[in-house]
Amino acid sequence: MSRLIFDSEYLNVEELILENSNFQKMISDNKITDDEKKDQSDRVIGILNQLDEICSDEEIELIKKLLAELCVLVAINRM
């Protein structure tokens, strides 16, 4: 995967989601279980913990801003 997940005009969040093997596995039976949601939550928390260990305070703040704005983008695209 290349480092650049966007170009000057477009952030392709949907493509990132669709290419994710965990997402593909979860939707394969057209049903998302509570266990799958918990597992995904645990994966996200694990990655955030890794980032917390290796990033500076300034980088953590930038990551938090990115996550917040990305969540807003995903939410408004579903409206």
Side-chain angles (χ1 to χ4, degrees):
M1 176 186 246
S2 69
R3 288 181 55 96
L4 190 62
I5 58 171
F6 59 92
D7 62 29
S8 62
E9 298 178 20
Y10 184 67
L11 174 64
N12 196 345
V13 175
E14 297 297 326
E15 185 175 314
L16 289 173
I17 294 168
L18 293 173
E19 289 177 352
N20 182 282
S21 61
N22 294 316
F23 179 76
Q24 291 173 7
K25 181 181 170 190
M26 284 185 275
I27 65 165
S28 66
D29 62 359
N30 294 319
K31 180 179 166 187
I32 308 292
T33 67
D34 288 341
D35 285 342
E36 289 171 323
K37 291 177 184 178
K38 171 77 167 85
D39 290 346
Q40 183 63 25
S41 178
D42 290 345
R43 275 190 290 279
V44 171
I45 290 169
I47 293 168
L48 290 172
N49 283 328
Q50 290 175 356
L51 288 169
D52 193 48
E53 290 177 14
I54 64 172
C55 294
S56 68
D57 289 346
E58 183 177 291
E59 290 167 328
I60 292 294
E61 287 305 310
L62 187 57
I63 290 166
K64 286 166 59 175
K65 285 181 185 179
L66 170 63
L67 288 172
E69 296 300 335
L70 185 56
C71 289
V72 169
L73 178 61
V74 170
I76 63 174
N77 279 325
R78 292 178 173 253
M79 296 179 152

